[in-house]
Amino acid sequence: MGEQFWWFYDVIVAAVVLICVFFTLRKGLLRASASIVGYIFAVFLSFMLCTSIAGKVADNTLYGSNVKKLNFTLTENDYAAELCSQINSMGYYITVNRDKIEKIYVKEEDVDHGIYQYIRHMNSKNLDDEDTFLVKLHDCYAVSASNFISRKLSPYAAEYAAEQIRKDPQKFWQFLKLMDDQDSKRPAAEFLVKNYIQQPYTTLVRLIIYIISFVLLLLILLAVSVSVSRNDHTENGFMTVSLRIIVGIGKAAAIVLAIAVIIRLNVITGNDKMLFFNHEAIDRTYVFKYFYNFIKTW
């Protein structure tokens, strides 16, 4: 939904560029140069600040809360039943025994092979070869964990966790074995948060810190640039006009980068199928996608 509005992003870029160039042309060259220095420093310092403190902020403010929420979810709900439901939907016309699956992933060293052998004895006729089966099984791990995570935490965190589980399913076995603790699910919750959830929340904090610091630093640095260039009376020659246009484009790039951060925040805190805020629409843009992909991979 919203993919047909991909052009909206590039229109925003064009509008920002035109506005920045227009206002920059109205300033003297010295003032324009001083202001672009402010923009550059605001971007650079904001990146440094959010990169250096985001992890600590997320650990101090969100880690304990996320563990508490997941501990409640794992305690109040039956994860083994959820995993069995996903296995039953693999297309092999089977209904697995919940206690048997739980026993396999708690007791057996090779969880994947144990589940494969169990299902092979139930329905060997319709079963895929082991490699194909394991791809489907790993998706069951990912979806079942994602379903539990999304009950109390963000859809983005759940999606991120699912992706990481598919990449390294054997690491997920540690979580499955921790679920054998009948006294407390907190160790299992801590494992999920530490390995799959804390990173997306750190990214969220990093983006928020970037926006706040960029706006504050830009206001301070622009105020300084105005004071140092108050008596600028540069003449409007071809060279000075050309330099002002370049400065205006540079300012626009910094602003568009901030817009990309805000849109990335909307995707993380909501979902990427929201109108205007979806990956398919952004990928079709000519210019904006480069700013967004930079922030996405940062």
Side-chain angles (χ1 to χ4, degrees):
M1 184 177 182
E3 185 179 349
Q4 66 271 27
F5 297 107
W6 63 268
W7 49 266
F8 181 78
Y9 297 101
D10 280 340
V11 169
I12 291 176
V13 173
V16 171
V17 171
L18 290 174
I19 292 171
C20 288
V21 169
F22 173 76
F23 281 103
T24 305
L25 286 173
R26 299 180 62 184
K27 301 176 182 178
L29 182 59
L30 178 59
R31 185 171 177 181
S33 300
S35 65
I36 190 60
V37 171
Y39 275 82
I40 292 172
F41 270 100
V43 170
F44 179 72
L45 293 175
S46 296
F47 270 117
M48 286 188 60
L49 183 64
C50 64
T51 300
S52 61
I53 70 173
K56 295 178 181 177
V57 172
D59 289 343
N60 292 331
T61 60
L62 297 175
Y63 178 82
S65 173
N66 288 339
V67 170
K68 184 177 180 179
K69 290 176 182 177
L70 264 182
N71 183 36
F72 177 83
T73 300
L74 294 173
T75 302
E76 296 299 316
N77 298 275
D78 189 347
Y79 175 77
E82 172 68 25
L83 179 58
C84 289
S85 175
Q86 295 300 324
I87 293 174
N88 289 337
S89 66
M90 291 172 69
Y92 298 126
Y93 308 102
I94 55 173
T95 300
V96 297
N97 181 277
R98 177 211 172 279
D99 294 336
K100 180 64 176 179
I101 291 294
E102 185 178 43
K103 182 179 179 180
I104 291 171
Y105 69 63
V106 168
K107 302 297 183 183
E108 295 200 17
E109 184 175 345
D110 190 334
V111 177
D112 286 357
H113 185 68
I115 294 177
Y116 177 75
Q117 288 297 326
Y118 167 59
I119 295 178
R120 189 165 72 88
H121 288 136
M122 293 180 67
N123 188 357
S124 60
K125 184 179 296 185
N126 296 318
L127 193 63
D128 293 311
D129 62 87
E130 188 167 1
D131 289 340
T132 303
F133 171 85
L134 291 183
V135 172
K136 296 181 180 180
L137 178 62
H138 297 160
D139 192 60
C140 291
Y141 295 161
V143 174
S144 59
S146 176
N147 287 345
F148 262 57
I149 292 169
S150 63
R151 293 183 185 188
K152 292 290 184 180
L153 301 178
S154 76
Y156 174 72
E159 181 183 336
Y160 178 88
E163 182 181 347
Q164 298 307 308
I165 291 168
R166 290 186 183 98
K167 288 180 180 178
D168 188 2
Q170 291 188 5
K171 185 178 182 179
F172 188 68
W173 295 354
Q174 299 176 52
F175 163 75
L176 294 174
K177 295 183 182 305
L178 288 171
M179 289 298 291
D180 186 41
D181 189 340
Q182 301 302 315
D183 296 326
S184 173
K185 301 302 180 186
R186 186 176 178 87
E190 289 179 340
F191 179 87
L192 283 181
V193 172
K194 192 175 297 182
N195 290 279
Y196 303 120
I197 295 170
Q198 199 61 9
Q199 181 56 46
Y201 276 93
T202 299
T203 299
L204 174 66
V205 172
R206 184 186 299 132
L207 295 174
I208 293 173
I209 293 175
Y210 178 86
I211 289 297
I212 295 173
S213 58
F214 175 76
V215 172
L216 293 178
L217 287 169
L218 187 60
L219 290 174
I220 294 170
L221 292 167
L222 286 180
V224 173
S225 72
V226 170
S227 64
V228 301
S229 59
R230 193 177 301 278
N231 298 318
D232 182 13
H233 302 292
T234 309
E235 294 183 1
N236 291 326
F238 173 78
M239 184 60 69
T240 58
V241 170
S242 299
L243 289 174
R244 288 177 194 171
I245 292 174
I246 294 173
V247 168
I249 294 173
K251 292 179 182 179
I255 294 173
V256 171
L257 190 66
I259 293 172
V261 171
I262 293 171
I263 290 177
R264 181 63 180 159
L265 265 173
N266 274 276
V267 170
I268 289 177
T269 55
N271 65 76
D272 77 307
K273 300 303 179 184
M274 296 166 60
L275 184 62
F276 296 131
F277 304 123
N278 66 75
H279 293 151
E280 290 82 3
I282 293 173
D283 288 341
R284 292 182 62 186
T285 61
Y286 291 103
V287 178
F288 185 78
K289 64 182 177 184
Y290 295 106
F291 291 88
Y292 183 81
N293 288 336
F294 172 76
I295 295 300
K296 183 180 175 182
T297 56
W298 162 44

